[in-house]
Amino acid sequence: MTAVLREAELAAPVPCAHCQLPVPVGRLTGGATAYCCSGCEIVASAITANGLSEFYALRDTAAPATSTGRAYTELDDPAFQRVHVQLAADGTARAALYLEDLRCTACVWLVESAPRCVPGTVEVRVDLGRSRADVTWDPGATQLSSIARFLDAVGHVPHPYRGLDRDRARRREDRALLTKLGVAGAAMGNLMLLAIALYAGLFGGMARADATFFRWASMLVAVPALGFAATPMFRTAIGALRARRLHLDLPLSIGIAAGLGWGALNVLRGAGEIYFDSLAMLVFLLLVARWVVLRHQRRASTGAELLLALTPSRARRVDGEAIVEVPIEAIVPGDVVNVLVGDVIPVDGMIVEGRSALDVGLLTGESRPVEVSAGEVVNAGTANLAGPLLVRATAVGETTRVGRLVASIEALSARKAPIERLVDRIAGRFVKVVTLAAFVTFVAWTAAVSLGVGAENAMALLIVTCPCALALATPLAVTVALGRAARRGVLIKGADALERLATPGTMFVDKTGTLTAGKLAVVSWRGDLDAAALAVAVEAGSNHPIARALRDHATTPLVATAIEEDLGRGIAGVVEGRQVLVGAPPWVRARTSPHPVIEGWIAELAERGETPIVIAVDQRPVAVVGLSDPIRDDARAALDRLAAAGWRIEILSGDDPRVARRVGAALGIPEERCHGGATPEAKAARVTAARVCGPVVMVGDGVNDAAAMAGATAGIAVAGSAEIAIEVADVYLRSPAIQDIAATVDGARATLATIRRNLRLSLVYNLTAGTLAVAGVIHPLIAALVMPLSSLTVLASSLRSRAFQERS
Amino acid sequence: MIALYIVLPLALLIGGLAVAAFIWTVRSGQLDDVDTPPRRMLFEDPPTRPVTDVAES
């Protein structure tokens, strides 16, 4: 008999009315609106029921909806309110919430429409950049939990906003920088006008009294304004000096201080040059660069506490005969808790009664449900899918496995050492050379001419070599790269991340969701092809991953009746009067007559690492379907590209070691570099160990990868990642294509190349200006021309960078 | 050129007022969030009162 791979015979797929993903056959209603999952259906009905259909007109991205349906009663708890809720004088209460999936205009509109839908809500203001909503309500008319339920129902799962202190500190910092930027900008504009008058006077002649007046005016504007605006540079320079570290701000501060001091002295004594206009431009440009970079780095971040929100805040404790709902804090080890179907297990513990299937994806990344029964150990944060359980708690809160994982993620993130930036290394040498040159100039000119000329030329040297372009080299190149990368769907968290990714080393890749599609699909079919229609009809209503794979594979107009699902094992139903069974081999075997050919196929598919599923019609097995998580089409090419760039690729997966090896073999990765069955702790340990030998990049998507990402030199989170993984990662890819990882790494290298080119260019300018100053032929006008010219050159060079450039 | 001695301080004073105004906008938080307001202006205002037909007389 020949093996046939069945092609999916899909009609034009119907897009989900909410998220635009194709709707599986089983959920087609025949009407105009169909939804891909119950999540989307609930969210869409909540939106339309509240009269908020304008949402669909405003949005520019569509994403599958999440809605937990939780009650959020913990938000009304007095203990919570004491910490998070502020009461205003007019009797209203305010609280900040962190909202998931806040992406576009439509999301903002939807969330801010809450006052129309929840009576008693006064106002909801969204800050898109921070994914934060400030909610104001009337405590007499409604409760925070009602508003939270509304936000949840429309697909933005709310969490208490925990970054308030950090936000406040950052806001102070942002405002201070913006104030200085404004002051420097105004000073620059006015000083340039004054300078133009003075320069014109050089050529056209100018009364001495007028010139003195203009010089005094310049000084009175420049010294206070620039002295104030340049404080960030002075502060970093002094801090770096104290710590005996070299920093770019040191030569900048020397130049600025020398320029202001020397210029003021010259105004007072009524002779000598002033450089206030050039200095003002320098300070302004530096502050602009700082502000741009800061804005790129300030993105929504909520800290690892979010993970704890993944474990429930309440538990159902068994007290003798009764079951009482208590806050999670009231549970102590030894208590027995009752976990209903669909609930998340709140504690680490052992099952005392019940049998179920668990979704343990949070901890291990394993997408298939795990069967559990009495006597087995379960972890907090895993979801109960099938039957009610009684669990005796052994650990709660921070001592649970998920709690310890959070602690390790926080510890590893905090330990991430700042890398020594290329530009700071250069600045170190720069300071030495310039100070030495200034000293030599001073001594030589004093000996040759006079003390005055010596001081004049040495000061001019310090001022004109003030490395403006050097300071702009990195921010400009990084800003261009970050902007272009963001347009491609690659979000990079800052200059550091680019420098971390530029040197090749070891790259650990989590299998699920990166190398593979991350969901089961039909990859082989043995036996009767016509059985597909019958199987799909039976599986039409099921939410099991296997049912979804079968529905993706084929469509059918047939409808099954008398469907009985034996969770995690199989499903039975009647289609056109025929009894159809679809399920795992032992389950089907127990209900049908044995069949040697079928048994052979089962063994063959299992041998290849696929999950065999048997279809039986009227007690006779007719077909075996092989399911597996297929490898992405682009994975091989991307891995080859990375290997060519010098990266050593290793697979680090929580899946079965055999599966990891099979994926590795298909992608040309040697067996010893494919590590399967890795727990989150083991992943972090392996990453830490590999850092001894050089840079390590961790690519992943799950909570189970987050600790490893935090421990690596750089972490990359791919599309669909858990919030915590995105938080920890240095780079977040919006598309799941592994091609983008290769593009990111290439882009990082190209950006670093641009930075180097920028640094060389700016050094050339400094060398020229410095030589002129040493020779004693420098003039403020030359400085005023050289400085913008060098900055423009660096800008042009940055724009010409090939980093993240679309390939034509 | 005597006018300069009046005009220049005046110009600097006006510039200083502009800077003061800018600092006020920063301090009062108007520039804290520059991402959301440009989107918020796209929203339709809710009708303030029901639209009534203007009957032709």
Side-chain angles (χ1 to χ4, degrees):
Chain A
M1 213 171 277
T2 52
V4 198
L5 192 76
R6 180 164 174 126
E7 291 290 316
E9 311 164 335
L10 280 175
V14 177
C16 170
H18 180 77
C19 74
Q20 318 268 290
L21 288 174
V23 177
V25 189
R27 297 194 60 91
L28 281 177
T29 52
T33 47
Y35 301 96
C36 68
C37 60
S38 45
C40 282
E41 191 165 357
I42 291 167
V43 168
S45 64
I47 289 172
T48 39
N50 282 305
L52 300 175
S53 316
E54 193 186 334
F55 168 76
Y56 293 105
L58 279 171
R59 68 170 176 184
D60 47 38
T61 53
T66 47
S67 180
T68 63
R70 281 177 52 209
Y72 292 100
T73 40
E74 73 274 12
L75 297 185
D76 299 330
D77 198 74
F80 173 87
Q81 302 242 331
R82 255 199 309 282
V83 182
H84 292 280
V85 176
Q86 296 166 327
L87 288 169
D90 59 355
T92 58
R94 278 174 66 95
L97 294 175
Y98 170 81
L99 301 185
E100 287 183 20
D101 295 324
L102 218 48
R103 288 178 228 271
C104 66
T105 313
C107 304
V108 177
W109 181 80
L110 197 57
V111 170
E112 292 192 347
S113 299
R116 278 197 255 162
C117 310
V118 187
T121 315
V122 178
E123 190 192 42
V124 179
R125 295 291 276 187
V126 171
D127 184 330
L128 198 56
R130 294 180 184 82
S131 292
R132 168 183 164 160
D134 285 298
V135 182
T136 313
W137 74 98
D138 178 1
T142 189
Q143 285 185 309
L144 184 55
S145 59
S146 315
I147 304 165
R149 280 196 295 274
F150 165 78
L151 295 172
D152 183 289
V154 296
H156 297 288
V157 180
H159 302 275
Y161 196 87
R162 320 223 184 206
L164 272 179
D165 288 338
R166 190 182 42 186
D167 248 23
R168 221 168 281 144
R170 282 184 174 178
R171 197 169 61 201
R172 249 198 319 272
E173 225 177 290
D174 284 349
R175 285 182 182 179
L177 182 58
L178 208 53
T179 307
K180 294 191 169 81
L181 187 63
V183 169
M188 178 181 79
N190 287 298
L191 286 170
M192 277 186 174
L193 291 177
L194 294 169
I196 287 171
L198 282 170
Y199 292 141
L202 276 181
F203 302 108
M206 192 178 200
R208 198 177 153 70
D210 288 346
T212 311
F213 177 66
F214 274 95
R215 284 160 66 98
W216 272 90
S218 295
M219 183 185 78
L220 289 178
V221 172
V223 174
L226 298 185
F228 165 71
T231 38
M233 287 95 171
F234 293 151
R235 210 169 290 147
T236 339
I238 292 170
L241 268 184
R242 278 217 193 107
R244 306 203 164 277
R245 267 187 320 109
L246 289 167
H247 194 276
L248 182 62
D249 280 357
L250 189 60
L252 288 172
S253 298
I254 293 176
I256 296 166
L260 287 180
W262 185 247
L265 189 70
N266 283 346
V267 170
L268 292 177
R269 70 188 176 107
E273 310 292 359
I274 57 170
Y275 297 86
F276 293 136
D277 54 325
S278 301
L279 286 173
M281 183 162 59
L282 172 90
V283 173
F284 179 69
L285 287 178
L286 292 177
L287 290 174
V288 168
R290 246 161 238 240
W291 189 70
V292 167
V293 170
L294 203 64
R295 273 207 59 192
H296 269 287
Q297 288 172 352
R298 290 279 156 88
R299 49 186 56 246
S301 52
T302 46
E305 299 108 292
L306 189 63
L307 185 58
L308 285 176
L310 296 173
T311 61
S313 54
R314 300 183 86 76
R316 296 160 56 82
R317 188 173 65 196
V318 180
D319 289 348
E321 292 297 300
I323 291 176
V324 282
E325 194 161 307
V326 293
I328 185 72
E329 289 78 16
I331 303 283
V332 291
D335 282 351
V336 175
V337 294
N338 169 274
V339 186
L340 299 177
V341 178
D343 275 2
V344 174
I345 297 178
V347 294
D348 277 6
M350 193 196 275
I351 300 178
V352 286
E353 200 184 307
R355 205 166 59 91
S356 178
L358 299 182
D359 175 3
V360 295
L362 175 70
L363 279 174
T364 62
E366 168 71 73
S367 50
R368 295 174 214 184
V370 175
E371 307 281 327
V372 288
S373 55
E376 285 184 75
V377 172
V378 292
N379 291 115
T382 54
N384 182 11
L385 298 177
L389 293 173
L390 288 181
V391 178
R392 184 178 300 282
T394 53
V396 286
E398 278 152 32
T399 54
T400 59
R401 197 165 159 211
V402 69
R404 289 199 308 269
L405 196 58
V406 173
S408 80
I409 292 170
E410 281 173 349
L412 285 166
S413 309
R415 227 174 42 206
K416 205 164 201 169
I419 53 165
E420 198 197 9
R421 294 191 311 160
L422 181 65
V423 66
D424 287 336
R425 278 204 302 269
I426 293 182
R429 267 174 258 156
F430 190 85
V431 176
K432 286 177 202 147
V433 172
V434 169
T435 350
L436 190 72
F439 182 71
V440 170
T441 312
F442 177 68
V443 171
W445 279 99
T446 307
V449 189
S450 72
L451 187 72
V453 177
E456 177 89 18
N457 287 341
M459 278 300 172
L461 176 74
L462 286 182
I463 297 160
V464 297
T465 54
C466 188
C468 178
L470 201 63
L472 294 180
T474 314
L476 284 178
V478 167
T479 305
V480 169
L482 260 49
R484 283 190 191 150
R487 237 171 289 147
R488 285 194 57 154
V490 179
L491 303 178
I492 302 166
K493 291 200 180 160
D496 280 11
L498 282 172
E499 289 199 29
R500 286 173 204 277
L501 284 168
T503 329
T506 315
M507 185 180 284
F508 288 106
V509 184
D510 177 40
K511 177 190 73 75
T512 325
T514 47
L515 299 175
T516 61
K519 61 171 192 172
L520 286 178
V522 174
V523 288
S524 47
W525 193 287
R526 302 281 185 279
D528 187 3
L529 288 178
D530 296 331
L534 302 175
V536 170
V538 172
E539 296 275 21
S542 171
N543 219 7
H544 196 274
I546 290 174
R548 272 184 242 156
L550 279 169
R551 286 201 301 262
D552 287 343
H553 179 69
T555 54
T556 179
L558 300 177
V559 177
T561 52
I563 295 173
E564 268 178 64
E565 188 164 3
D566 191 353
L567 210 124
R569 289 176 192 79
I571 191 166
V574 178
V575 186
E576 291 187 318
R578 299 205 281 175
Q579 172 72 26
V580 180
L581 300 173
V582 183
W587 186 81
V588 176
R589 221 176 271 144
R591 287 158 181 77
T592 56
S593 48
H595 198 301
V597 180
I598 293 284
E599 292 303 319
W601 284 335
I602 294 171
E604 181 208 334
L605 296 184
E607 182 69 23
R608 295 211 314 227
E610 295 170 14
T611 307
I613 292 296
V614 184
I615 301 173
V617 179
D618 292 334
Q619 279 74 45
R620 210 170 53 82
V622 292
V624 181
V625 188
L627 295 161
S628 99
D629 191 0
I631 290 163
R632 286 180 193 280
D633 301 337
D634 57 353
R636 183 71 196 251
L639 289 187
D640 287 349
R641 205 169 138 197
L642 284 168
W647 289 88
R648 175 193 159 95
I649 311 288
E650 303 205 7
I651 294 181
L652 192 53
S653 169
D655 245 340
D656 191 279
R658 279 173 307 182
V659 181
R661 277 202 293 275
R662 184 174 59 83
V663 171
L667 292 168
I669 301 171
E671 208 166 275
E672 69 274 13
R673 292 196 203 158
C674 302
H675 317 287
T679 59
E681 295 83 0
K683 285 186 178 187
R686 193 172 279 280
V687 162
T688 314
R691 283 195 65 177
V692 180
C693 322
V696 177
V697 172
M698 175 76 204
V699 185
D701 65 345
V703 173
N704 56 325
D705 302 318
M709 282 185 194
T713 321
I716 300 181
V718 297
S721 288
E723 201 82 34
I724 180 80
I726 298 174
E727 169 68 24
V728 172
D730 298 288
V731 177
Y732 171 55
L733 307 178
R734 267 222 181 109
S735 75
I738 187 171
Q739 278 290 357
D740 279 348
I741 298 174
T744 307
V745 169
D746 276 357
R749 224 177 29 187
T751 309
L752 218 62
T754 311
I755 293 177
R756 288 212 184 86
R757 184 172 66 194
N758 286 353
L759 294 176
R760 276 198 298 272
L761 284 171
S762 62
L763 286 176
V764 167
Y765 275 103
N766 277 319
L767 200 67
T768 318
T771 316
L772 290 176
V774 172
V777 293
I778 197 77
H779 186 271
L781 192 56
I782 298 175
L785 290 175
V786 164
M787 211 169 278
L789 208 59
S790 64
S791 304
L792 282 176
T793 318
V794 170
L795 179 66
S797 153
S798 301
L799 288 174
R800 271 192 47 75
S801 165
R802 56 168 203 87
F804 296 103
Q805 198 73 281
E806 242 92 338
R807 267 159 297 152
S808 46
Chain B
M1 294 296 257
I2 205 77
L4 271 180
Y5 292 82
I6 299 158
V7 172
L8 186 61
L10 205 62
L12 289 179
L13 187 73
I14 294 170
L17 287 178
V19 172
F22 175 75
I23 291 174
W24 172 74
T25 59
V26 173
R27 289 254 164 99
S28 61
Q30 295 179 43
L31 299 172
D32 281 352
D33 176 13
V34 289
D35 297 320
T36 327
R39 292 162 182 271
R40 205 174 271 136
M41 71 176 190
L42 296 173
F43 305 160
E44 293 286 348
D45 290 328
T48 44
R49 76 185 90 117
V51 182
T52 46
D53 286 349
V54 182
E56 281 173 52
S57 53

